[in-house]
Amino acid sequence: MATSREVKKEARWLNPREMKAWRTYIIASRRMLEALDSDLAGYELSMADYEVLAQLSDAPGRKLRMSELAEIAMVSKSRLSHRMKVMEKAGWVRREECPQDRRGFFAVMTDKGFKAIERAAPTHVESVRNRFLDHLTVKDQEELSKIFDRVQSQLRGQFINEE
Amino acid sequence: MATSREVKKEARWLNPREMKAWRTYIIASRRMLEALDSDLAGYELSMADYEVLAQLSDAPGRKLRMSELAEIAMVSKSRLSHRMKVMEKAGWVRREECPQDRRGFFAVMTDKGFKAIERAAPTHVESVRNRFLDHLTVKDQEELSKIFDRVQSQLRGQFINEE
DNA sequence: TAGAAGTAATTCAACTTTCAACTACCTCGC
DNA sequence: GCGAGGTAGTTGAAAGTTGAATTACTTCTA
């Protein structure tokens, strides 16, 4: 495995400050996400499904190509397909053929779906405030935006993996 | 559904600054976690499994009661049971009966398991630096710790759900 | 010291997610 | 206008996750 070209790099372990920042962030985030999910459970929605419906409800005509929806809601195409089947059964969405591209489909939100998300939205927003935003000052919000903008912009395919 | 006691609360939607902070944080976090997971994939480890093994390797005797391990690695007991079965098959851990409490078991890390985590750890730490810590100043780290300490401490069972 | 109540861990069944394979269609170059 | 290669979306099987039920204890209380 080791070739002569390889330099055995000494791992730079995290110092206490780094460790604290990293673990506090990761653990609090995990727990907060769990809480948000459980706040939505009463509406038979997971965060992921909420996100899908929210994006769809914002789209012109509450209608979006499957791929585009998958993209902006950050789920895989396959996962979206499966979830759509479930939400279709619940009567929240339906599929509509795309005349311009006969391979494609639109995901369309039904009135029932719109009502469902409209019902859940205030709770979810309150939930985001309670669990997260209320603990940030305006300055914190701006600082956080900056930090995570940097994090995200550096994220495309450096390091180890293919794309 | 609406009773006379209930006040129809106007939802306080997020203003642009709040929205930006929330979405940037959530989206960047999601993508970063994905990246960290894929950085670990070469070691046949998910972040969750890494966390379990890391906690175990830090424990005295590399040995911990199942419940305790589940707790500190933040996975459910049931999930830990299932993962342990997989990791046991990989030869990374084994179960050991607990003589003091015959209901209980210890999760014990094998040498092979220790080597596996030792191999993965430098990459993972590098990964955490590359993907996250490198984008934070020292002040950012401290600020972030403060923010997420607040978030976490307010998280226990307010709002909507049981506990 | 019996037996009620509580706890540790696993199991089962239902559900969700992933990954790779597949179908059907589009696009481009020649 | 044909065929190679690309893209849209679905599917099916395998793997992972959840939550409730279950088993096998321990602990507490009267």
Side-chain angles (χ1 to χ4, degrees):
Chain A
M1 202 176 164
T3 73
S4 55
R5 266 200 332 93
E6 267 176 52
V7 180
K8 171 76 176 175
K9 265 212 294 280
E10 211 48 55
R12 295 182 295 137
W13 301 110
L14 307 187
N15 67 37
R17 191 187 355 85
E18 293 167 332
M19 186 61 102
K20 164 76 177 152
W22 170 244
R23 292 198 63 82
T24 304
Y25 156 67
I26 278 291
I27 292 171
S29 293
R30 238 174 122 343
R31 293 216 189 287
M32 184 191 63
L33 266 326
E34 272 170 27
L36 290 176
D37 251 324
S38 92
D39 292 344
L40 272 175
Y43 300 89
E44 317 282 1
L45 278 171
S46 63
M47 279 271 277
D49 285 355
Y50 180 92
E51 184 65 15
V52 168
L53 292 181
Q55 292 295 346
L56 200 48
S57 76
D58 276 350
R62 289 171 201 155
K63 180 173 165 179
L64 231 33
R65 286 293 291 272
M66 290 294 285
S67 308
E68 200 181 347
L69 181 52
E71 175 98 14
I72 63 179
M74 296 210 300
V75 299
S76 69
K77 272 136 75 55
S78 151
R79 183 170 169 183
L80 180 60
S81 254
H82 288 300
R83 295 313 296 153
M84 281 290 288
K85 215 177 303 168
V86 174
M87 297 195 216
E88 208 165 14
K89 203 169 295 177
W92 290 349
V93 294
R94 62 194 159 73
R95 265 172 266 232
E96 202 171 89
E97 291 187 7
C98 173
Q100 297 84 40
D101 184 341
R102 311 214 20 256
R103 293 166 304 181
F105 284 86
F106 289 106
V108 189
M109 172 166 267
T110 62
D111 285 354
K112 187 173 172 190
F114 188 68
K115 272 172 204 142
I117 189 87
E118 233 183 7
R119 220 175 294 125
T123 303
H124 181 60
V125 174
E126 240 349 88
S127 185
V128 169
R129 289 196 180 284
N130 267 275
R131 309 265 190 209
F132 185 65
L133 287 171
D134 284 355
H135 309 302
L136 311 197
T137 64
V138 169
K139 215 162 143 293
D140 288 342
Q141 293 172 24
E142 279 157 0
E143 177 67 3
L144 220 66
S145 293
K146 262 187 262 168
I147 291 176
F148 285 96
D149 270 336
R150 291 201 295 271
V151 168
Q152 181 157 34
S153 71
Q154 288 295 288
L155 220 51
R156 317 247 130 253
Q158 8 130 242
F159 213 61
I160 298 184
N161 278 81
E162 347 62 56
E163 133 75 310
Chain B
M1 202 179 162
T3 73
S4 54
R5 268 201 330 93
E6 266 176 50
V7 179
K8 172 75 179 174
K9 265 214 293 281
E10 212 46 55
R12 294 182 297 138
W13 300 110
L14 307 188
N15 68 37
R17 193 190 350 88
E18 292 168 331
M19 185 61 103
K20 164 76 177 152
W22 170 243
R23 293 198 63 81
T24 304
Y25 157 67
I26 277 292
I27 292 171
S29 293
R30 238 173 121 344
R31 293 216 189 287
M32 185 191 63
L33 266 327
E34 271 170 27
L36 290 176
D37 253 323
S38 93
D39 293 344
L40 273 174
Y43 300 89
E44 318 280 2
L45 278 171
S46 63
M47 280 271 276
D49 285 355
Y50 180 92
E51 184 66 14
V52 168
L53 292 180
Q55 292 295 346
L56 200 48
S57 76
D58 276 350
R62 290 171 201 155
K63 179 173 165 178
L64 231 33
R65 286 292 293 271
M66 291 294 285
S67 309
E68 200 181 349
L69 181 52
E71 174 97 15
I72 64 180
M74 297 210 300
V75 299
S76 70
K77 272 137 76 56
S78 153
R79 183 169 168 183
L80 179 60
S81 255
H82 289 300
R83 296 314 297 155
M84 281 291 288
K85 214 177 302 167
V86 174
M87 297 195 216
E88 207 165 14
K89 204 169 293 176
W92 290 348
V93 294
R94 63 195 157 71
R95 264 172 267 230
E96 201 171 272
E97 292 187 8
C98 174
Q100 297 85 39
D101 184 340
R102 313 211 21 254
R103 293 166 304 181
F105 283 86
F106 289 107
V108 189
M109 172 166 268
T110 63
D111 286 353
K112 186 172 174 192
F114 188 69
K115 272 172 204 141
I117 189 87
E118 234 182 7
R119 219 176 295 124
T123 302
H124 181 60
V125 173
E126 238 351 86
S127 185
V128 169
R129 289 196 182 283
N130 268 273
R131 308 266 191 209
F132 185 65
L133 287 171
D134 284 355
H135 309 301
L136 311 196
T137 64
V138 169
K139 216 163 141 294
D140 288 342
Q141 293 173 23
E142 280 158 359
E143 177 68 2
L144 220 66
S145 293
K146 261 187 263 167
I147 291 176
F148 285 96
D149 270 336
R150 291 201 294 271
V151 167
Q152 181 158 35
S153 70
Q154 289 294 289
L155 219 51
R156 316 249 131 251
Q158 10 129 242
F159 212 62
I160 297 187
N161 277 83
E162 343 63 56
E163 126 76 308

